[in-house]
């Protein structure tokens, strides 16, 4: 049982690497160079390494966000929208508060949390009130708010001097401190890790954690024994959307310094795979986030050095998605498990 | 003006409808395939590329359909034999497809942006001379491309399939798998056939987006696959229901195109209109359904 | 004239995994062409397992099946069907969402070109439908009554070319006249050369209809004889009905704990409960009995708070609990054992510990400041398991590794350990062996000294074995009250409902 728990994700990762290598090798004119940059690039110097860690920060948040929803047995497919829109609203607020105070950074994070949380809460309410699957509604609401976010960046809140659709830069004072300059790694990494560990503890040792687990595993059982299933679902969705949005805001505070159109580029969505890869174990999310960030950094470096199309990474991420819930190792045949009906 | 809007609604609805019917087949057997968006996107690219290279649109459509059929079977294979979550696999195919098409277009055509295929064979358009005199009739009933007519025929065929023993068996498998097994139905075979249908239909739907325009962009499907899923979920097993919802969605897509052309609304807002309208449709539908039941859910 | 044996079972044995229940320990049976055979036995004697093996749904561990004198090996129901053996399930195997017609032909659709040939199909079954008085071919099966559904199943079996028809408790859901008609049908089928085996609890019925009777007891065939040579007494003895032991302590009946007045429950247009009023006192065990789903289970769901009644009030002790949540009701001392043991009463994904603490985890001292005290909870669980004799290796063990009997002990332990005032239980002894049944009866006996119990069931024997007073439900209405004292056997219950219907 535990064997399979450990081996299956490793197997997925190995398969993903192999497929990645094959595609790179087949499509590149200088396969050896490409493979070297792709796989070893992120480790070639401290700058690249720091950037890779930094790239895993948003994934830690969105992975945790997905994990929170999964922990209560709901699906949040609107992570991308919550991540993107929550951060944009946060940025706009940040532009109008006094900077260089810790309290304003916190305030901005709370704002993004609420915005993202409200978006996901909406789909949870749709599920409870109208029985409409949160899968589809969260995705659609997320998409709608990606468009709305695009509109805000391109229209009313666009910095007229910027070459692309983006807000003004935030003051440096409000941003998160760097850890490994000149790379992008910032304090957000620590915040993300801490949140993961907190949630890990909550799941294992709190009343709420027990209720989440029970609702996920058997909502009918939970309801019969007095657990307020609806409340748990709402709470899980709210937290999930909120954490995703905080992830987006941390990314802006730590890396971008302003909201740029399309800055989310799949980070929200990938959170789902990040969480699934480690079987929704919050204590391990940082590892799978690192794996995704590694692919992404490798792709970026390879495209810089040998002009490989970075979309390969998306392809590989997709394949990881496909394999992440598969069971490669054969389970014992469960014969004769027929109950005495 | 209104008739034109209606006409473009029909044209916008057709690809959604075809894909929705595909999804509806998999929903009928109880295994909704959500890889529609990615499958459509891939066949968008494949059909237009093959058509341009072979100078035959028919070959383009055929290859696209075969390929998307394989994609659909891939989803089924992972779910059935590796016990992967069919939902997550579907997401994965969508993500992978969005990378794959750009990768392919940059390798095969050396460009990642909008690609125009200038030598693409024109798809014949059917004109009904008898209708040419009346403006309204002409707009509504004539000048459909062969591809659109094929799509309409396919829609009709899908409806027919629900009337065959196979259609009946699909419903039985979806509603009560264990009874179906007890009666000795080949449950796996029936599910595979529904995934084959789904693939074929998505292939056709994808081709319908790119071939008539003779171009390809990475964001070409623009959430149509998801709209199709909504249509399939709302319409249920009833092809007429799927038809109704798809037409509504087609209308909202057509409307958003019009608004983009004729008003000063920002593009981002216009793009989100189909989604917003869809959400409203869903809400109204669910409110009505609950009202009908007349009790707490 | 000796008739020809068509199916024979020799020394069939079957043990279920992982529960380890030995359902069959050596069953023998032979069916003859053109005869009706009744299979009798107490609950858990292995009757259903036996017919499922005959129908190819289960494979025996030991033993042989002969059809037409040749050994056969049924891997799937299809194999059995090929030999003309079809089982009509107790919980019928029809697709509710399809029409009668579609159900009849599912898997054997006559076709013209590629399409369902409805006309040909209708011609094919016209006579049969007439015989079974099956008319509503285009109705959805979900809208049919139990009796009609059963007819559809039988019709389907015949269309499939059944020569051996196995019926698992065909009369369980039928009213008196419907029952008559079913038996007329069986007799006429017998004349056409069918072999029919039916399971029943009802000895009178078996002796009246069947040509031959076989009795199973704890998985073994203990009697197989022609009906003419049998009498009721012998059969009942063979079945091994425990002579109803007089309840050891006649507990004192105390204050009124539960009172329900005019409780009505509607789902959509259907009236599930129709103005039910009753009252239960401390020291009482009251049975709610109905032949099928006659509202008795729904009543318990309303009482625990899973569903809101459309009208009416519920009083517990002195307070009105109609509006309280499940959690609040449980706090007041109401416990509930739901109907579906594996899907509702247990969280099969969780450990024993997680299943055991679900009623107390949030109470002090087990939880403080939102954090759980796992050490305390573990100790609580161990105490509970010890008190209720649940055999486990460790509390962290997944609950699904427990046997059926131990699972039920665990469920009961969880609900009774906090000494509730009122226990609501659905079918607490179903599917369990005699030992566990006795254990549960004994625990309920103990409950009487401080509380009371409501037992909802559709099993007459269970109602008789556990309750002092039985309230009989029919279609959501409370029909009459029976005091078990002085009643001889469960069969009375059936006739008493039949008379009303």
């Amino acid at each position: 049982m535990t064997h399979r728990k450990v081996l299956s994700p490793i197997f997925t990762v190995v398969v993903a690497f192999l497929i990645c290598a094959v595609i790179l090798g087949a499509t590149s004119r200088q396969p050896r160079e490409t493979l070297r940059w792709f796989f070893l690039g992120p480790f070639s110097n401290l700058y690249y390494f720091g950037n890779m860690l930094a790239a895993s920060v948003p994934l830690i948040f969105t992975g945790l966000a997905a994990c929170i929803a999964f922990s209560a047995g709901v699906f949040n497919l609107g992570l991308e929208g919550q991540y993107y829109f929550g951060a944009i609203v946060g940025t706009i607020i940040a532009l109008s508060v006094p900077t260089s105070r810790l309290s304003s950074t916190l305030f901005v994070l709370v704002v993004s949390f609420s915005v993202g949380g409200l978006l996901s809460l909406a789909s949870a309410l749709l599920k409870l009130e109208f029985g409409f699957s949160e899968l589809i509604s969260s995705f659609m609401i997320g998409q709608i708010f990606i468009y709305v976010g695009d509109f805000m960046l391109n229209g009313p809140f666009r910095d007229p001097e910027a070459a692309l659709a983006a807000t003004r830069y935030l003051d440096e004072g409000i941003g998160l401190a760097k850890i490994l300059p000149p790379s992008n790694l910032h304090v957000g990494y620590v915040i993300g890790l801490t949140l993961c560990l907190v949630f890990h503890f909550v799941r294992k040792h709190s009343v709420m954690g027990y209720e989440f687990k029970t609702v996920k595993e058997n909502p009918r059982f939970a309801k019969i024994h007095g657990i307020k299933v609806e409340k748990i679902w709402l709470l899980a969705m709210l937290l999930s959307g909120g954490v995703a949005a905080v992830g987006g805001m941390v990314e802006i505070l730590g890396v971008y310094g302003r909201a740029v159109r399309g800055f989310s580029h799949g980070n929200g969505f990938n959170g789902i795979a990040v969480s699934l890869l480690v079987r929704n174990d919050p204590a391990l999310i940082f590892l799978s986030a690192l794996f995704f960030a590694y692919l992404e950094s490798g792709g970026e470096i390879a495209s810089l050095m040998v002009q490989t199309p970075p979309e390969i990474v998306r392809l590989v991420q997709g394949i990881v998605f496909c394999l992440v819930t598969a069971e490669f190792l054969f389970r014992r045949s469960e014969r004769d498990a027929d109950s005495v009906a | 003006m209104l008739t034109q809007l209606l006409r473009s609604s029909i044209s916008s609805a057709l690809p959604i409808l075809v894909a929705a019917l595909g999804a509806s087949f998999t929903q009928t057997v109880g295994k909704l395939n959500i890889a529609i968006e990615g499958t459509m996107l891939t066949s968008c690219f494949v059909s237009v590329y093959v058509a341009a290279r072979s100078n035959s649109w028919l070959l383009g459509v055929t290859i696209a359909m075969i390929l998307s059929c394989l994609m659909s079977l891939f989803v089924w294979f992972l779910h059935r034999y590796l016990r992967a979550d069919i939902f997550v696999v579907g997401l994965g195919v969508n993500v992978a497809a969005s990378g794959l098409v750009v990768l392919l277009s940059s390798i095969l055509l050396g460009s990642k942006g909008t690609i125009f295929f200038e030598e693409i064979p024109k798809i014949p358009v059917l004109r009904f001379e008898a209708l040419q005199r009346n403006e309204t009739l002409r707009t509504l009933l004539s000048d459909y491309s062969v591809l659109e007519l094929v799509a309409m025929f396919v829609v009709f065929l899908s409806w027919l399939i629900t009337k065959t023993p196979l259609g009946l068996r699909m419903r039985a498998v979806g509603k009560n798998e264990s009874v179906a097994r007890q009666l000795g139905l080949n449950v796996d075979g029936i599910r595979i056939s529904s995934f084959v249908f789904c693939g074929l239909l998505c292939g056709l739907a994808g081709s319908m987006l790119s071939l008539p325009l003779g171009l390809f962009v990475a964001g070409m499907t623009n959430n149509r696959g998801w709209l199709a899923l909504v249509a399939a979920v709302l319409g249920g097993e009833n092809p007429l229901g799927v038809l109704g919802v798809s037409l509504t969605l087609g209308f909202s897509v057509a409307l958003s195109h019009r608004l983009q052309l004729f008003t000063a609304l920002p593009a981002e807002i216009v793009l989100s209109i189909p989604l917003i309208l869809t959400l409203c449709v869903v809400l109204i539908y669910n409110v009505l359904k609950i009202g009908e039941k007349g009790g707490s859910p | 004239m000796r008739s020809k044996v068509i199916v024979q079972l020799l020394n069939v044995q079957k043990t279920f995994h992982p529960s380890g229940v030995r359902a069959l320990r050596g069953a023998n049976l032979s069916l003859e062409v053109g005869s009706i055979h009744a299979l009798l036995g107490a609950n858990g004697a292995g009757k259903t397992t036996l017919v499922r093996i005959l129908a190819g749904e289960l494979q025996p561990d030991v033993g042989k099946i002969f059809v037409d004198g040749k050994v056969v090996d049924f891997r799937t129901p299809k194999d059995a069907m090929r030999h003309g053996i079809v089982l009509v399930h107790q919980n019928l195997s029809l697709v509710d969402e399809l029409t009668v017609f579609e159900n009849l032909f599912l898997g054997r659709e006559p076709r013209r070109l590629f399409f369902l040939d409805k006309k040909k199909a209708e011609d094919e079954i016209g006579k049969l439908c007439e015989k079974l008085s099956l008319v509503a071919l285009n109705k959805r099966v979900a809208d049919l009554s139990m009796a009609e559904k059963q007819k559809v199943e039988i019709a389907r079996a015949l269309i499939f070319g059944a020569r051996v028809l196995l019926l698992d408790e065909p009369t369980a859901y039928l009213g008196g006249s419907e029952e008559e008609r079913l038996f007329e049908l069986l007799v006429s089928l017998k004349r056409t050369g069918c072999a029919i085996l039916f399971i029943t609890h009802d000895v009178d019925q078996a002796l009246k209809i069947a040509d031959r009777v076989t009795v199973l007891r704890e998985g073994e065939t203990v009697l197989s004889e022609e009906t003419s040579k049998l009498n009721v007494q012998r059969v009942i003895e063979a079945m091994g009905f425990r002579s109803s032991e007089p309840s050891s302590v006649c507990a004192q009946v105390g204050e009124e704990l539960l009172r329900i007045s005019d409780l009505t429950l509607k789902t959509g247009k259907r009236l599930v409960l129709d103005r039910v009023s009753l009252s239960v006192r401390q020291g009482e065990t009251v049975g709610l009995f109905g032949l099928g789903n006659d509202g008795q289970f729904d009543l318990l769901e309303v009482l625990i708070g899973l569903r809101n009644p459309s009208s009416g009030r519920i009083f517990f002790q002195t307070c009105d609990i109609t509006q309280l949540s499940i959690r609040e009701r449980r706090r007041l001392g109401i416990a509930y054992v739901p109907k579906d043991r594996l899907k509702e009463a247990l969280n099969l994904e969780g450990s024993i510990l997680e299943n055991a603490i679900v009623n107390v985890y949030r109470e002090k001292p087990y939880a403080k400041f939102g954090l759980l005290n796992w050490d305390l909870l573990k100790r609580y669980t161990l105490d509970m398991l010890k008190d209720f004799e649940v055999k486990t290796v460790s509390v962290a063990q997944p609950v699904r590794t427990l046997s059926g009997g131990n699972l039920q002990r665990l469920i009961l332990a969880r609900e009774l350990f906090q000494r509730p005032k009122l226990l609501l239980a659905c079918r607490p002894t179903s599917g369990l062996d005699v030992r566990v049944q006795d254990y549960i009866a004994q625990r309920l006996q103990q409950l009487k000294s401080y509380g009371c119990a409501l037992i909802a069931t559709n099993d007459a024997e269970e109602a008789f074995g556990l309750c002092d007073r039985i309230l009989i439900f029919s279609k959501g209405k409370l029909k009459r009250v029976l005091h078990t004292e002085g009643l001889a056997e469960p069969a009375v219950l059936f006739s008493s409902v039949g008379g009303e219907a």
Side-chain angles (χ1 to χ4, degrees):
Chain A
M1 196 65 197
T2 38
H3 263 20
R4 229 181 54 221
K5 250 185 193 160
V6 180
L7 287 179
S8 213
I10 293 179
F11 198 82
T12 307
V13 169
V14 170
V15 170
F17 277 147
L18 283 179
I19 292 173
C20 195
V22 168
I23 296 171
L24 282 170
T27 57
S28 169
R29 281 197 204 94
Q30 35 203 139
R32 280 189 57 175
E33 280 292 285
T34 313
L35 286 176
R36 195 167 67 89
W37 281 117
F38 191 96
F39 285 113
L40 300 178
F43 301 106
S44 58
N45 60 42
L46 214 52
Y47 174 74
Y48 282 148
F49 185 71
N51 276 356
M52 174 174 73
L53 288 184
S56 77
V57 175
L59 292 166
I60 291 177
F61 280 93
T62 55
L64 177 62
C67 175
I68 293 173
F70 286 136
S71 301
V74 278
F75 245 105
N76 181 0
L77 277 195
L79 289 170
E80 189 84 13
Q82 292 141 17
Y83 176 91
Y84 189 56
F85 188 72
I88 290 172
V89 174
T91 311
I92 290 165
I93 300 292
L95 286 169
S96 57
V97 292
T99 53
S100 72
R101 257 197 250 147
L102 186 64
S103 60
S104 31
T105 310
L106 281 179
F107 174 67
V108 167
L109 288 175
V110 170
V111 168
S112 335
F113 180 92
S114 333
V115 173
L118 282 179
L119 292 191
S120 53
L121 197 61
S123 19
L125 283 172
L126 287 181
K127 176 193 173 93
L128 296 182
E129 291 297 314
F130 304 114
F132 183 45
S133 157
E134 84 274 16
L135 290 167
I136 296 181
S137 76
S138 65
F139 179 81
M140 287 178 61
I141 294 175
Q143 286 296 307
I144 290 172
F145 279 89
I146 288 174
Y147 286 128
V148 176
D150 281 348
F151 164 70
M152 285 161 69
L153 292 182
N154 206 12
F157 300 98
R158 180 173 178 155
D159 175 9
E161 277 150 41
L164 65 171
T167 60
R168 280 185 290 123
Y169 275 102
L170 296 168
D171 276 344
E172 299 236 328
I174 202 169
L176 298 171
K178 300 272 183 218
I179 296 180
L180 206 66
S183 80
N184 283 330
L185 190 60
H186 54 91
V187 183
Y189 194 78
V190 183
I191 303 178
L193 281 185
T194 316
L195 284 182
C196 284
L197 291 178
V198 167
F199 186 62
H200 178 73
F201 179 81
V202 164
R203 276 211 334 185
K204 285 255 155 14
H205 294 283
S206 74
V207 169
M208 188 180 111
Y210 175 77
E211 292 185 341
F212 266 44
K213 182 169 190 285
T214 309
V215 167
K216 175 201 176 159
E217 289 171 348
N218 189 339
R220 176 79 183 159
F221 169 83
K223 189 174 176 198
I224 284 174
H225 294 91
I227 296 175
K228 291 180 176 136
V229 177
E230 284 86 2
K231 208 183 87 188
I232 298 289
W233 277 337
L234 288 176
L235 183 65
M237 275 307 248
L238 174 79
L239 287 178
S240 171
V243 167
V246 166
M249 197 62 231
V250 163
E251 181 74 352
I252 284 178
L253 291 174
V255 178
Y256 288 89
R258 60 174 178 171
V260 188
R261 180 173 179 152
F263 82 92
S264 60
H265 61 79
N267 275 335
F269 224 67
N270 283 335
I272 295 165
V274 166
S275 179
L276 287 172
L277 185 60
V278 288
R279 308 272 133 130
N280 305 318
D281 184 343
L284 295 177
I285 278 175
F286 78 100
L287 273 182
S288 64
L290 190 64
F291 166 68
F292 271 73
Y294 171 55
L295 286 179
E296 210 140 307
S297 314
E300 231 163 74
I301 295 169
S303 91
L304 213 66
M305 297 298 177
V306 281
Q307 280 77 48
T308 43
E311 282 74 17
I312 286 181
V313 174
R314 268 193 92 60
L315 181 58
V316 176
Q317 282 170 345
I319 291 167
V320 172
F321 249 117
C322 291
L323 302 181
V324 86
T325 53
E327 289 171 17
F328 296 102
L329 309 169
F330 299 96
R331 39 164 73 188
R332 277 171 291 121
S333 60
E334 288 171 18
R335 55 180 292 273
D336 252 351
D338 29 34
S339 61
V340 204
Chain B
M1 185 68 195
L2 186 68
T3 48
Q4 272 176 3
L5 182 62
L6 274 179
R7 170 59 207 269
S8 61
S9 299
I10 294 174
S11 292
S12 313
L14 269 176
I16 296 176
L17 174 58
V18 170
L21 286 171
S24 145
F25 275 117
T26 63
Q27 174 168 261
T28 306
V29 296
K31 297 283 172 186
L32 183 62
N33 177 11
I34 69 152
I36 306 287
E37 177 89 6
T39 315
M40 271 172 88
L41 184 63
T42 315
S43 48
C44 264
F45 177 79
V46 171
S47 63
V48 77
Y49 179 74
V50 172
R53 290 298 291 267
S54 66
N55 202 23
S56 151
W57 62 269
L58 198 59
L59 192 64
V61 177
T62 315
I63 300 281
M65 283 170 77
I66 291 172
L67 213 77
S68 69
C69 195
L70 290 178
M71 281 175 82
S72 179
L73 285 174
F74 172 74
V75 172
W76 174 246
F77 172 81
L78 280 177
H79 173 64
R80 177 66 181 80
Y81 298 102
L82 294 181
R83 294 166 186 256
D85 184 317
I86 196 163
F87 199 79
V88 177
V89 173
L91 290 181
V93 168
N94 290 340
V95 172
S98 71
L100 182 69
V101 289
V102 182
L103 187 66
L104 285 177
S105 80
S106 72
I107 292 171
L108 298 174
L109 303 157
S111 158
K112 289 185 195 169
T114 309
I115 303 159
F116 292 94
F117 294 83
E118 264 134 38
E119 290 118 56
I120 194 138
K122 278 269 170 294
I123 300 170
V125 169
L126 236 61
R127 278 169 180 272
F128 296 109
E129 290 306 329
L131 297 173
Q132 292 302 318
R133 254 169 282 145
N134 185 318
E135 179 74 28
T136 316
L137 283 182
R138 196 189 63 201
T139 334
L140 280 181
L141 298 177
S142 184
D143 297 4
Y144 284 99
S145 78
V146 173
L147 210 51
E148 285 177 308
L149 292 174
V150 168
M152 290 178 196
F153 181 64
V154 163
V155 170
F156 176 65
L157 271 185
S158 313
W159 176 73
L160 279 185
I161 286 175
T162 62
K163 300 283 165 205
T164 62
L166 180 60
L168 174 62
R169 289 173 183 202
M170 283 181 177
R171 276 192 291 152
V173 167
K175 291 296 177 203
N176 198 330
E177 187 181 337
S178 62
V179 168
R181 273 190 208 284
Q182 268 173 23
L183 291 177
L185 297 189
N186 178 358
V187 173
D188 279 335
I190 291 165
R191 289 208 164 123
I192 287 177
S193 62
S194 83
F195 272 76
V196 167
F197 286 139
C198 175
L200 293 175
L201 289 172
C202 289
L204 179 63
S207 319
M208 291 177 70
L209 294 179
S210 60
L211 272 184
L213 300 174
L215 64 82
F216 177 79
V217 209
M220 190 143 209
T221 44
N222 191 22
N223 288 330
R224 280 189 185 80
W226 290 94
L227 295 186
L229 277 180
V230 173
V233 170
L234 291 190
E237 289 140 22
N238 183 358
L240 290 178
V242 178
L243 177 74
V245 183
S246 302
L247 280 176
T248 320
L249 297 180
F251 173 77
S252 67
V253 170
L255 186 71
S256 73
H257 285 318
R258 300 255 133 178
L259 289 175
Q260 200 165 9
L261 282 178
F262 298 117
T263 64
L265 278 176
E268 295 89 356
I269 297 298
V270 169
L271 280 172
S272 65
I273 286 178
L275 289 172
I276 295 174
L277 279 179
T278 308
L279 210 57
C280 294
V281 170
V282 170
L283 275 185
I284 294 168
Y285 172 86
N286 278 284
V287 170
L288 289 180
K289 204 169 70 179
I290 287 176
E292 223 169 73
K293 266 195 251 154
S296 52
Chain C
M1 174 189 98
R2 276 209 78 76
S3 25
K4 192 176 142 237
V5 172
I6 180 166
V7 176
Q8 196 169 20
L9 270 90
L10 270 185
N11 187 31
V12 169
Q13 300 184 19
K14 172 79 182 171
T15 304
F16 284 103
H17 299 286
S19 57
V21 173
R22 283 186 72 188
L24 292 177
R25 301 160 192 254
N28 300 297
L29 181 78
S30 65
L31 295 182
E32 289 154 0
V33 171
S35 75
I36 298 181
H37 198 125
L39 184 59
L40 286 151
N43 262 332
K47 303 179 300 269
T48 301
T49 310
L50 184 74
V51 291
R52 286 183 70 192
I53 286 176
L54 251 182
E57 287 181 11
L58 298 173
Q59 281 73 48
D61 304 330
V62 182
K64 287 199 171 77
I65 307 173
F66 298 88
V67 176
D68 296 327
K70 283 184 215 105
V71 178
V72 289
D73 180 20
F74 294 156
R75 299 252 138 233
T76 65
K78 222 175 178 177
D79 295 338
M81 268 183 224
R82 224 169 274 137
H83 287 91
I85 302 175
V86 184
L87 168 61
V88 175
H89 288 79
Q90 187 178 12
N91 47 345
L92 303 168
S93 57
L94 298 170
V95 184
D96 272 350
E97 291 81 357
L98 300 183
T99 64
V100 172
F101 179 81
E102 289 168 334
N103 264 294
L104 285 178
F105 284 98
L106 190 59
R108 315 243 156 153
E109 307 85 354
R111 50 184 89 191
R112 191 178 52 199
L113 292 173
F114 290 106
F115 295 98
L116 242 170
D117 192 341
K118 223 168 162 177
K119 187 130 194 320
K120 190 168 155 203
E122 266 164 16
D123 290 348
E124 212 172 284
I125 56 169
K127 248 200 185 146
L128 187 66
C129 288
E130 217 169 281
K131 195 155 95 187
L132 297 173
S133 60
L134 208 62
V135 274
L137 282 180
N138 287 318
K139 245 190 182 174
R140 272 177 9 127
V141 166
D143 301 330
L144 298 182
S145 71
M146 270 326 266
E148 287 174 303
K149 284 188 193 177
Q150 196 166 45
K151 263 192 242 163
V152 176
E153 276 248 8
I154 294 175
R156 184 171 68 191
L158 296 176
I159 293 171
F160 279 18
R163 348 175 252 158
V164 179
L165 203 55
L166 313 172
L167 301 144
D168 190 356
E169 296 208 37
T171 54
Y173 303 110
L174 301 184
S177 58
E178 288 175 331
E179 200 177 293
E180 281 302 305
R181 246 179 288 147
L182 173 70
F183 287 133
E184 275 166 30
L185 174 67
L186 293 186
V187 170
S188 76
L189 286 176
K190 163 176 117 174
R191 294 214 182 91
T192 61
C194 260
I196 295 161
L197 174 72
F198 75 101
I199 292 181
T200 181
H201 271 116
D202 187 337
V203 180
D204 287 329
Q205 193 184 65
L207 292 179
K208 201 170 92 199
I209 308 301
D211 303 306
R212 196 179 173 87
V213 168
T214 293
V215 177
L216 282 182
R217 183 168 166 184
E218 290 178 32
E220 269 176 287
T221 302
V222 290
L223 177 77
S224 191
E225 194 70 74
E226 271 166 47
T227 326
S228 49
K229 297 178 186 153
L230 288 171
N231 59 28
V232 177
Q233 203 49 45
R234 235 187 109 192
V235 177
I236 288 185
E237 266 166 35
M239 287 165 76
F241 267 131
R242 285 154 289 150
S243 51
S244 50
E245 60 233 57
S247 33
S248 45
V249 223
C250 226
Q252 212 62 39
V253 173
E255 50 157 353
E256 182 180 65
L257 285 178
L258 177 76
R259 187 155 55 84
I260 305 169
S261 61
D262 275 334
L263 203 67
T264 299
L265 176 69
K266 281 184 194 163
T267 51
K269 279 174 201 149
R270 209 167 69 89
L271 209 54
V272 181
L273 288 171
D274 189 1
R275 279 167 295 146
V276 174
S277 301
L278 60 90
S279 140
V280 185
R281 293 174 171 279
Q282 187 242 306
E284 277 190 310
T285 305
V286 177
L288 308 173
F289 175 81
L291 286 173
N293 259 329
D294 282 284
Q296 73 271 42
F297 302 112
D298 306 271
L299 177 60
L300 293 198
E301 290 195 349
V302 172
L303 290 180
I304 191 63
L306 277 168
R307 298 160 101 187
N308 286 325
S310 320
S311 66
R313 305 236 140 263
I314 309 164
F315 297 92
F316 180 66
Q317 291 180 302
T318 47
C319 49
D320 183 346
I321 60 163
T322 320
Q323 299 300 327
L324 297 189
S325 70
I326 298 176
R327 195 179 282 187
E328 288 160 330
R329 291 184 205 209
R330 282 186 177 272
R331 273 214 184 106
L332 285 176
I334 303 180
Y336 175 58
V337 176
K339 194 171 163 198
D340 193 323
R341 196 170 302 154
L342 300 180
K343 288 185 186 134
E344 297 184 314
L346 292 165
N347 170 14
L348 282 187
E349 312 280 313
S351 64
I352 292 174
L353 178 63
E354 284 163 340
N355 274 279
I357 62 170
V358 69
N359 289 329
V360 296
Y361 71 92
R362 66 179 93 80
E363 311 291 346
K364 274 184 186 166
Y366 306 109
K368 266 185 203 152
F369 312 114
L371 295 181
L372 295 171
N373 186 338
W374 280 114
D375 289 336
L376 219 53
L377 286 165
K378 251 176 226 163
R379 218 169 309 140
Y380 170 85
T381 306
L382 285 172
D383 288 347
M384 174 202 288
L385 297 180
K386 199 170 152 216
D387 187 2
F388 282 76
E389 301 153 55
V390 188
K391 289 174 208 82
T392 61
V393 182
S394 95
V395 291
Q397 173 184 356
V399 80
R400 60 167 73 242
T401 57
L402 291 182
S403 69
N406 262 334
L407 286 178
Q408 188 67 347
R409 280 173 201 242
L410 172 64
I411 294 167
L412 224 61
R414 177 181 68 210
E415 301 302 329
L416 290 179
F417 194 54
Q418 288 180 294
R419 298 172 67 88
K421 290 259 164 43
L422 167 64
L423 174 73
L424 311 166
C426 301
R427 305 215 53 184
T429 62
S430 78
L432 299 172
D433 64 45
V434 181
R435 232 179 37 246
V436 185
Q437 288 186 18
D438 285 343
Y439 168 87
I440 291 168
Q442 176 203 331
R443 285 287 169 178
L444 288 176
Q445 208 45 254
Q446 289 169 10
L447 169 69
K448 285 183 177 179
S449 63
Y450 56 86
C452 62
L454 269 179
I455 311 282
T457 181
N458 50 10
D459 177 348
E461 237 184 277
E462 182 177 47
F464 255 78
L466 299 176
C467 308
D468 317 315
R469 187 152 61 100
I470 299 175
L471 311 177
I472 296 169
F473 279 74
S474 170
K475 293 187 183 121
K477 279 200 176 113
L478 184 53
K479 284 289 181 187
R480 64 153 86 160
V481 183
L482 277 181
H483 291 271
T484 45
E485 222 172 309
L487 287 182
E489 44 170 307
V492 183
L493 269 188
F494 287 107
S495 53
S496 86
V497 181
E500 291 281 324

